[in-house]
Every structure is written in structure tokens, then in C-alpha cells.
């Protein structure tokens, strides 16, 4: 994996934080593209796929708010060898499609389980246990937030026991409200536990790419306070991932 960072701008949330300049990220602007909010219609999916073709899957991608988490599916589909998805999220994102096969922020994991032949397993970490029924699918393993809170090391061990390369997708709504401000209900994970999980992933596996979502746009109530909170965790994750790449990824 490479240290390059890319920001996919849909709502302006990362821009209002000043994130591109602070971390030296390349910004791709999709704010004028229709058919992308929560659901990605076929025309938008086609254009998005074409426009991100030049962005390496094996990089760090900031993909705006959780309303656009389905972009992770587009990167996962580009991985050409067997891999597992490590998903840190307060929601399983495994809802059945409401509109045919249209990609959605709430169902993109189900979509790639059905359409991505190289996806061997999904490891979901930190989700709300009340959503357990949504996760009853083959090739899915879950550690819910109460399990991780009571024994954080179980998440580390489970990550270490995965086989082969991994792609990591982080929705900051898995974090407690003390550490992030998002537009969805939030969990109780701490940055320390997230750091331990990411370290275990890089230490034990080839990492095929990482993405981060969970910003709070101004249109959803974002302000300077939420921007500051999210900027802090975004900078922290960028620095951590850069260090892990230096320590564990071969040049």
C-alpha cells in the first residue's frame, strides 16, 4: 500500500475542515454529480467508476460522509486477487436493496458479497448488536460493539487470524461521540481500540487499501466544532496509517 491520500468530495465536509491542505491529499470533486446521495443510480455509478479509475485502490481514500460509503464497493471491485474486508462501522451496511441492484450506503456490503468474486470474507467490527439480524449472511463474521468493549483484544486476535490480503473500510460512526461527529447513530469505540485493530491488520496482512468516511456536512448540522473533532481524528488516522505503511509494507 502507498502513502498517497485522496479526498472524494461530495458534500464539502472535508474541505470545510481544511483536510486536503493539512494532509497533502489530492481532491476529486463529485459535488456536482447527481444521483449519488445515499443511493448511487446506474448513471452515477458508471461515471464514478470511470473517474476514480485513476485513483489507486491501494491508497488512503477519504470518501466524505457515511451517505457515500458505497464508494468502498467500487474500490473493492477493483481488487484482482482474493481478499477479506475489515469493516469498522456502527452499522452492518448489509440491508437488502430497496431499488433493484442500486448501490446504497446501507447495502453496499451485501452488494459486493453478491458481485465481487474475490471477496472471501467480511469481518465487521463494532456494530450495534441490535442490528445482528442484518448480518446473517455467509462469509460474514461479526464482533459487535459490546463484545469489543468488554474484551478489546478479541478484535485484535480475530483480525490477526484472517487469511490473505485485507481491505479496510472505516466509518467514523463506530467511534463514540466524544471522538467523532457523524450524520448517523454512533457506537462506543475509542481511538485506542481502533489503533490496535489497524496495527494488527498491517502487521499481519498485506493491506490492499483503506478508506474512511463519517464526516458531518454543513447540510446535516456540521459546524466548526464538529469539523475540529473530525479533523483531529482524520489527521490521527493519516499519521498512523503512514507509520504503519513505513513499518510493515514493503517498498
Amino acid at each position: 500500500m502507498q502513502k498517497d491520500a485522496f479526498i472524494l468530495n461530495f458534500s464539502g465536509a472535508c474541505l470545510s475542515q481544511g483536510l486536503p491542505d493539512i494532509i497533502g491529499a489530492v481532491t476529486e470533486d463529485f459535488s456536482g454529480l447527481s444521483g449519488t446521495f445515499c443511493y448511487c443510480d446506474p448513471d452515477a455509478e458508471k461515471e464514478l467508476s470511470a473517474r476514480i479509475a485513476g485513483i489507486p485502490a491501494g491508497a488512503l481514500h477519504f470518501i466524505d460522509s457515511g451517505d457515500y460509503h458505497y464508494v468502498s464497493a467500487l474500490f473493492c471491485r477493483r481488487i484482482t486477487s482474493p481478499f477479506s474486508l475489515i469493516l469498522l462501522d456502527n452499522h452492518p451496511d448489509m440491508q437488502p436493496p430497496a431499488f433493484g441492484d442500486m448501490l446504497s450506503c446501507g447495502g453496499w456490503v451485501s452488494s459486493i458479497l453478491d458481485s465481487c468474486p474475490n471477496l472471501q470474507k467480511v469481518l465487521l467490527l463494532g456494530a450495534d448488536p441490535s442490528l445482528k439480524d442484518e448480518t446473517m449472511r455467509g462469509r460474514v463474521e461479526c464482533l459487535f460493539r459490546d463484545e469489543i468493549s468488554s474484551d478489546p483484544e478479541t478484535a485484535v486476535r480475530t483480525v490477526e487470524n484472517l487469511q490473505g490480503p485485507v481491505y479496510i473500510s472505516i466509518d467514523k460512526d463506530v467511534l463514540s461521540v466524544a471522538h467523532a461527529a457523524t450524520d448517523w447513530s454512533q457506537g462506543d469505540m475509542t481511538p485506542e481500540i481502533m489503533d490496535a485493530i489497524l496495527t494488527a491488520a498491517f502487521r499481519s496482512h498485506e493491506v490492499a487499501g483503506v478508506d474512511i468516511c463519517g464526516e458531518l456536512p454543513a447540510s446535516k448540522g456540521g459546524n466548526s466544532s464538529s469539523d475540529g473533532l473530525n479533523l483531529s481524528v482524520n489527521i490521527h488516522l493519516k499519521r498512523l496509517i503512514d507509520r504503519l505503511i513505513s513499518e510493515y509494507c514493503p517498498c
Side-chain angles (χ1 to χ4, degrees):
M1 181 172 162
Q2 59 196 62
K3 290 184 177 180
D4 301 279
F6 297 84
I7 292 172
L8 281 65
N9 176 54
F10 291 90
S11 73
C14 288
L15 305 189
S16 67
Q17 298 172 22
L19 186 63
D21 291 336
I22 292 171
I23 66 170
V26 175
T27 300
E28 298 288 343
D29 185 38
F30 300 99
S31 60
L33 181 61
S34 63
T36 61
F37 181 68
C38 287
Y39 292 89
C40 186
D41 70 33
D43 289 340
E45 181 180 345
K46 183 177 180 180
E47 182 167 350
L48 270 173
S49 297
R51 289 177 60 183
I52 68 171
I55 299 176
L60 174 58
H61 320 110
F62 290 89
I63 54 177
D64 213 286
S65 82
D67 298 322
Y68 307 96
H69 201 170
Y70 60 77
V71 175
S72 301
L74 304 182
F75 285 113
C76 286
R77 288 174 181 169
R78 290 171 50 193
I79 300 174
T80 57
S81 58
F83 73 101
S84 293
L85 170 66
I86 300 175
L87 174 62
L88 291 84
D89 200 320
N90 192 47
H91 308 88
D93 291 353
M94 298 180 199
Q95 297 172 5
F99 303 104
D101 294 327
M102 192 182 297
L103 270 178
S104 72
C105 61
W108 67 272
V109 177
S110 285
S111 176
I112 59 171
L113 279 166
D114 293 333
S115 65
C116 187
N118 285 316
L119 178 61
Q120 304 297 296
K121 184 172 187 176
V122 174
L123 175 59
L124 172 63
L125 300 174
D128 185 337
S130 71
L131 301 173
K132 184 176 182 178
D133 287 349
E134 192 178 315
T135 68
M136 298 301 178
R137 294 209 39 163
R139 293 181 289 146
V140 175
E141 181 177 1
C142 306
L143 288 174
F144 294 96
R145 68 189 190 198
D146 53 341
E147 298 173 285
I148 294 175
S149 296
S150 62
D151 182 11
E153 280 301 311
T154 191
V156 170
R157 291 191 299 269
T158 304
V159 166
E160 290 174 338
N161 288 334
L162 289 170
Q163 300 298 311
V166 298
Y167 185 91
I168 303 169
S169 184
I170 301 167
D171 190 330
K172 292 200 296 290
D173 70 17
V174 77
L175 293 166
S176 75
V177 295
H179 299 105
T182 78
D183 58 348
W184 294 89
S185 61
Q186 290 185 225
D188 62 4
M189 188 175 287
T190 65
E192 291 76 16
I193 293 176
M194 183 176 285
D195 290 359
I197 290 168
L198 294 175
T199 300
F202 275 87
R203 184 177 60 233
S204 305
H205 306 283
E206 176 188 348
V207 176
V210 180
D211 63 53
I212 299 169
C213 71
E215 313 307 332
L216 183 60
S219 61
K220 293 285 194 75
N223 53 36
S224 60
S225 178
S226 60
D227 280 350
L229 194 61
N230 288 331
L231 176 62
S232 178
V233 71
N234 285 336
I235 292 172
H236 171 79
L237 288 170
K238 175 64 166 67
R239 289 173 176 169
L240 172 67
I241 290 167
D242 281 353
R243 178 174 62 80
L244 294 173
I245 291 170
S246 296
E247 290 183 10
Y248 298 113
C249 296
C251 296

